[in-house]
């Protein structure tokens, strides 16, 4: 018995129509995966789908992102995501590439590609709770001076604010090590995660799932979907549970590029979902959902109910219906 869970990051409810294969689903329902009081993002939404309780969800993503890179932080380290940001006009603008300044003994950079970077500060994990930052994709066009990072440690606050003022690097998503239950403890079968997005790969590693990164995978709208399809089908043979994450729509929507997002979702239908649904092993349950929506009108993540579609209903449906 195989269960394949396909998560289309950022797909809004009305955008499911762009994937006609979903019309053939045997079951469908809508539900919000965002725990009460939390901001919608892939970390909290996917962990909630998998049965992790809200109190166990890490408050930040960056430590798990480092875990995914092969350059993990130590348990006592503090890790922050640092996005390159356009700050023209004193407002928080779109993401962009920025050069990384030398850090000396202060810490180290882990470039993630494009505008994304991680900042690892050794031994400062105990300061995480005193830090307040704002996710850039949730605050575009707001005044920078109202969103600057704060920290209980004055030297750390000054350092983080200098990254913004001098280098156009926006710190957020701060995290120290936080234990998570394993997939086995959550009642999940042995499985694999097929993705490129660091936070999803990181949570997969933390849950003790195998992490597979297909060649040509970019976590953007130009990702190689044919390679991802091949990797997903290969994973579905040995693994009873396979989680597949598609990120491109959640990159296009914060840019407010509806045309680009629509084209990517249509590519998912044509190059991935339709062939996947027809090629899975017999007795496989295919579940398709979004972790959260991302609205092209605002560029922000959306915590409302998103649709879930289930193909080939089995005894697995009842279990997943409780969580999704």
């Amino acid at each position: 018995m195989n269960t394949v869970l396909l998560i289309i990051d950022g797909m809004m409810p009305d955008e499911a129509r762009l994937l006609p294969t979903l019309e053939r689903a045997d079951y469908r329902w809508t539900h919000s995966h965002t725990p009460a009081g939390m901001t919608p993002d892939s970390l909290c939404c996917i962990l909630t789908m998998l049965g992790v309780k809200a109190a166990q969800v890490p408050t930040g993503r960056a430590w798990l992102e480092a875990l995914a890179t092969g350059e993990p932080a130590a348990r006592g380290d503090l890790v922050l995501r640092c996005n390159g940001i356009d700050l023209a006009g004193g407002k928080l603008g779109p993401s962009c590439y920025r050069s990384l300044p030398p850090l000396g003994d202060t810490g180290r950079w882990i470039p993630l590609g494009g505008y994304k970077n991680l900042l690892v500060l050794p031994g400062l994990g105990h300061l995480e709770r005193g830090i307040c930052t704002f996710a850039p994709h949730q605050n575009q066009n707001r005044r920078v001076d109202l969103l600057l990072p704060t920290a209980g440690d004055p030297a750390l606050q000054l350092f983080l604010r200098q990254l913004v003022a001098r280098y156009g690097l926006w710190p957020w998503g701060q995290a120290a090590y936080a234990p998570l239950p394993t997939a086995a403890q959550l009642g999940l079968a042995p499985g694999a995660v097929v993705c490129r997005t660091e936070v999803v790969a990181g949570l997969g590693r933390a849950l003790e799932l195998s992490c597979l990164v297909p060649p040509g995978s970019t976590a953007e709208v130009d990702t190689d979907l044919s390679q991802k399809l091949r990797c997903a089908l290969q994973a579905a043979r040995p693994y009873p549970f396979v989680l597949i994450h598609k990120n491109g729509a959640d990159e296009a929507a914060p840019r407010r590029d509806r045309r680009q997002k629509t084209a990517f979702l249509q590519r998912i239908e044509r190059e991935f979902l339709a062939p996947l649904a027809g090629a899975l092993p017999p007795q496989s349950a295919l579940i398709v959902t979004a972790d959260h929506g991302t609205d092209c009108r605002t560029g922000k993540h959306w915590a409302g109910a998103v649709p879930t579609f289930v193909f080939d209903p089995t005894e697995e449906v009842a279990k997943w219906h409780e969580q999704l």
Side-chain angles (χ1 to χ4, degrees):
M1 178 68 234
N2 291 76
T3 300
V4 176
L5 173 60
L6 170 59
I7 300 172
I8 304 175
D9 200 329
M11 182 176 69
M12 296 288 285
D14 63 336
E15 293 169 337
R17 61 181 172 76
L18 298 171
L19 290 81
T21 297
L22 297 177
E23 297 174 4
R24 306 202 305 267
D26 299 287
Y27 284 95
R28 65 189 71 192
W29 59 80
T30 58
H31 180 71
S32 173
H33 306 309
T34 306
M38 291 190 180
T39 301
D41 67 8
S42 293
L43 177 60
C44 72
C45 292
I46 294 176
L47 287 176
T48 299
M49 289 184 212
L50 298 180
V52 176
K53 298 183 183 302
Q56 297 174 296
V57 174
T59 55
R61 64 193 285 152
W63 199 93
L64 288 173
E65 289 185 311
L67 183 62
T69 66
E71 302 179 53
R75 290 196 175 189
D77 292 351
L78 175 66
V79 188
L80 298 98
R81 169 75 84 82
C82 283
N83 287 17
I85 293 289
D86 182 349
L87 301 175
K91 292 187 177 181
L92 203 58
S95 300
C96 61
Y97 172 80
R98 296 287 191 184
S99 298
L100 300 177
L103 295 175
D105 295 333
T106 302
R108 62 186 172 96
W109 294 108
I110 304 178
L112 300 179
Y115 65 87
K116 302 177 183 179
N117 309 281
L118 293 175
L119 170 64
V120 181
L121 299 175
L124 298 186
H126 63 286
L127 299 179
E128 179 209 0
R129 295 290 179 177
I131 302 172
C132 178
T133 61
F134 296 88
H137 53 275
Q138 294 290 89
N139 292 280
Q140 285 193 13
N141 295 316
R142 292 186 62 191
R143 284 171 49 187
V144 170
D145 61 331
L146 301 179
L147 301 170
L148 290 172
T150 60
D153 182 271
L156 177 59
Q157 177 173 297
L158 176 62
F159 171 68
L160 296 178
R161 291 189 173 196
Q162 287 176 336
L163 289 178
V164 177
R166 296 180 181 178
Y167 306 107
L169 293 167
W170 191 263
W172 66 286
Q174 65 275 1
Y177 168 75
L180 283 171
T182 66
Q185 291 170 334
L186 294 170
L188 296 172
V193 176
V194 180
C195 71
R196 172 63 178 81
T197 303
E198 287 82 8
V199 68
V200 182
L203 70 85
R205 290 182 186 272
L207 298 179
E208 298 184 2
L209 297 168
S210 297
C211 293
L212 309 175
V213 180
S217 187
T218 65
E220 254 288 0
V221 294
D222 63 350
T223 196
D224 189 330
L225 293 178
S226 63
Q227 289 285 1
K228 204 160 200 176
L229 174 64
R230 186 175 295 109
C231 185
L233 290 172
Q234 290 173 346
R237 296 189 186 101
Y239 292 105
F241 173 64
V242 179
L243 186 157
I244 308 162
H245 177 259
K246 300 283 188 191
N247 193 62
D250 194 47
E251 294 292 334
R255 296 191 286 260
R256 304 190 186 189
D257 193 332
R258 184 177 299 278
R259 181 177 297 180
Q260 190 178 65
K261 186 181 185 186
T262 296
F264 182 70
L265 291 172
Q266 290 171 331
R267 279 190 63 211
I268 290 178
E269 162 66 22
R270 183 174 64 253
E271 300 176 33
F272 190 87
L273 178 58
L276 176 72
L280 285 174
Q283 299 302 309
S284 295
L286 172 61
I287 304 170
V288 184
T289 189
D291 46 1
H292 56 78
T294 309
D295 194 335
C296 284
R297 295 170 298 181
T298 64
K300 294 182 179 181
H301 289 181
W302 183 75
V306 293
T308 295
F309 303 86
V310 180
F311 298 77
D312 193 11
T314 65
E315 65 273 12
E316 291 289 295
V317 172
K319 181 186 81 170
W320 286 101
H321 189 271
E322 293 177 1
Q323 295 174 193
L324 299 179

